[in-house]
Amino acid sequence: MSKENKGLDQSLIKRLLDADCEDPLANTDQLTSQAIPHGVDRRNFLIRSAVGGAAAVMMGSSVSAQERTAKALATMPQQTTGRSTAIPPPTGKTGPPPPLDKDLNVVKKGQGPVMTTADEFYKVGPGPSSSHTIGPMRITYDFYQRATKLPADKLAKATKLQVNLFGSLSATGKGHGTERAALAGLVGKEPATVDPKFLDSLRDKPDQTFPVKLGDKSIDVSLKDVIYDATKGDFKHPNTMTVKLLAGNEVLLEQEYYSVGGGFIEWKGYTPPKKNAPKYPFRLMKELRAHADNNKISIAKVILANEMSIAGRSEEEVYAFIDKIINAMVATVKSGLSMPEDDVLPGPIKLHSKAATVYKRALDDKYAADKGIGALSAFALAASEENGRGHLVITAPTGGSAGVMPALVYGLLEVRKLDRQKIRDGMLAALAVGYLCKHHATLSAAEGGCQAEIGVASSMAAALTATAYDAESRVVENAAESALEHHLGMTCDPVAGYVQVPCIERCAFGAVKAWTAYAIASNEIASRHRVDFDATVMALAETAKDMNSKYKETSEAGLALSVTLC
Ligand code: SF4
């Protein structure tokens, strides 16, 4: 008998070694319960069932799955949902949502070359969510513009403006301030220029009314005109909303819209705007890298050339826009770090701000590496907390993930003092990553969970960092791939529907993972990296399709269920 076996029960060893003794681990069918019985708590049931099975093995007896199921059920406590009282119970039918409508541009997009431009992607707007705040505000602003163009006789009859929110917009819109954002757009406010104090005032005084001028007519609107409608249904996209101009019961103008992620919007009958051909057309990272390598230029320079040709802009104009975004990112980190340490974020979680505390304490850390990781985390927390406050953030790619890229930008520019041109190049390479994820997968948590937000943000930040340090194109790809790969499967389960838990800390982890991805990619032998970026984006798309809808920004499962607010 080996030394290791000395402490084990001799009779159990004899049973396990005895050829005639039935091995309780041999037939895994027997160990797997046929199904979780309906109406019981899954986790509790599985633990009890597993404990029952393990006890049987320890006792040297075998137990069937059916017996374990019966025993586990008999010992289950009466089920409570554990759901925070702040979260409404799920309504309507359960089961997977209908597939995205094939007519949506966001579905058709992967067929041609990438045509997205920087100003479509990096958007400045109020937090906390690009799809639930910036998108809806852009939508109602768009509707307001359309309404102003109606003939005067129609406008003269108008009596009411009405917004209906569906799907995920309805399920978690309250925690995202969707109704306030939708009302702001209706009264003519745009995301990039809206004063966050206006949105705060809507939260503090929800009964306010505002006149909306349509021709000679003025219609009063208030938050009551934004209706949280069905959360489940046969929608073309999980983030669907309608906006109507009414004359009594008569509909003068109606449009169905979709907030498809990252602040991008579409509507029924949408056709993408006409654009010029890219100088270096690419559908895949493989093709993008071939352009870079064949022309002996960086990925950043390929994207710059495409920006100039697709949008018809000069190099100066592209860089001026990128500079504006870099400055806005630096400002969100500075603003977040300057908040008082005892600041409490809006909403029922009563979450204390921690960016300033983490930053100050990290600076006192004994080891430089601890300092670095602590400070990088604090930068991400700072920008993400700004998002939680509903202050202006930048979609990179979304509001929920708005702490990740700014943390790296701030760290590289303000702390490491890298040349601004390096950061510009990094921002362009990051765009390539974001474009490809949007093109073939999704940036919307309502479609793909948090892997589509923090995962993509981390991947972009890894590409930014590698590019800023002059890494070759293969290393940039490898860094972006690693960061995305290690977010695959990450679900979206914001507690109480607020983009705070897990979102704020998750931004810090996304930033640190981006750095880790760069550290690995720049130190490994690049050609030996076995997973290419395109394969990981495909995995992102497939995982998004398979993910249970409960984990797609509906606050029906995960932390949203297990965390109890008191
Ligand atoms: S969990 Fe992730 S995807 Fe969901 S709201 Fe938070 S940051 Fe966004």
Side-chain angles (χ1 to χ4, degrees), residues 149-421:
K149 296 184 182 87
L150 285 176
D153 59 326
K154 262 199 172 183
L155 289 179
K157 294 200 290 179
T159 54
K160 186 177 167 63
L161 281 155
Q162 183 177 306
V163 180
N164 290 61
L165 306 170
F166 300 95
S168 172
L169 289 179
S170 178
T172 58
K174 283 213 168 80
H176 292 77
T178 304
E179 77 284 12
R180 299 192 292 276
L183 183 64
L186 268 190
V187 301
K189 311 254 181 222
E190 285 188 275
T193 51
V194 67
D195 184 347
K197 287 195 193 108
F198 174 77
L199 298 171
D200 289 352
S201 84
L202 291 179
R203 183 181 57 226
D204 299 339
K205 292 187 208 147
D207 294 331
Q208 296 177 76
T209 58
F210 302 89
V212 176
K213 197 98 177 75
L214 289 169
D216 294 335
K217 197 76 192 247
S218 179
I219 299 172
D220 279 350
V221 292
S222 74
L223 289 175
K224 292 196 183 80
D225 296 308
V226 184
I227 295 161
Y228 282 96
D229 215 313
T231 57
K232 303 272 167 73
D234 205 9
F235 313 125
K236 282 182 181 246
H237 189 278
N239 294 333
T240 292
M241 56 194 275
T242 59
V243 195
K244 293 184 201 130
L245 179 66
L246 299 161
N249 289 331
E250 184 193 348
V251 177
L252 301 174
L253 179 67
E254 177 174 8
Q255 187 64 55
E256 184 171 304
Y257 289 93
Y258 319 103
S259 177
V260 296
F264 289 88
I265 64 169
E266 292 186 26
W267 48 86
K268 207 173 190 171
Y270 172 86
T271 48
K274 290 263 174 291
K275 294 175 177 172
N276 303 320
K279 178 165 184 189
Y280 300 112
F282 68 90
R283 272 185 67 244
L284 300 166
M285 175 63 87
K286 190 171 69 174
E287 296 163 358
L288 168 59
R289 216 155 56 70
H291 285 306
D293 296 346
N294 295 341
N295 292 286
K296 303 203 177 350
I297 54 176
S298 65
I299 286 177
K301 291 289 180 271
V302 173
I303 298 299
L304 173 67
N306 280 3
E307 290 291 324
M308 292 164 63
S309 55
I310 294 172
R313 296 199 178 100
S314 67
E315 184 175 312
E316 291 70 33
E317 286 171 326
V318 175
Y319 282 141
F321 176 77
I322 295 292
D323 277 347
K324 189 176 110 183
I325 298 300
I326 291 172
N327 295 344
M329 285 185 174
V330 169
T332 61
V333 175
K334 279 191 179 156
S335 171
L337 288 177
S338 71
M339 293 303 286
E341 288 186 58
D342 57 357
D343 181 57
V344 176
L345 299 180
I349 306 177
K350 309 275 177 250
L351 191 69
H352 276 87
S353 164
K354 61 176 133 190
T357 311
V358 171
Y359 183 55
K360 277 187 200 151
R361 293 186 178 184
L363 293 184
D364 290 336
D365 275 333
K366 186 172 161 196
Y367 297 106
D370 293 352
K371 246 182 230 179
I373 293 171
L376 182 62
S377 303
F379 302 154
L381 294 172
S384 187
E385 285 174 355
E386 280 295 276
N387 185 60
R389 290 184 190 99
H391 290 176
L392 291 185
V393 292
I394 303 94
T395 60
T398 61
S401 60
V404 180
M405 283 278 289
L408 273 303
V409 166
Y410 188 87
L412 296 173
L413 190 67
E414 298 287 309
V415 182
R416 293 246 167 139
K417 306 287 182 196
L418 260 58
D419 189 83
R420 177 170 281 261
Q421 186 57 42

Side-chain angles (χ1 to χ4, degrees), residues 176 400-401 445 449-450 453-454 491-494 499 502-503 506 553:
H176 292 77
S401 60
C450 200
E453 290 204 15
I454 303 276
T491 60
C492 170
D493 52 359
V499 190
C503 322
R506 197 164 276 181
E553 211 171 8

Side-chain angles (χ1 to χ4, degrees), residues 488-500:
L488 288 179
M490 188 176 269
T491 60
C492 170
D493 52 359
V495 172
Y498 277 71
V499 190
Q500 296 177 8

Side-chain angles (χ1 to χ4, degrees), residues 135-147 181-182 184-191 243 257:
M137 195 185 297
R138 292 187 66 205
I139 282 170
T140 48
Y141 182 78
D142 177 85
F143 185 84
Y144 163 71
Q145 298 293 331
R146 290 173 193 234
L186 268 190
V187 301
K189 311 254 181 222
E190 285 188 275
V243 195
Y257 289 93

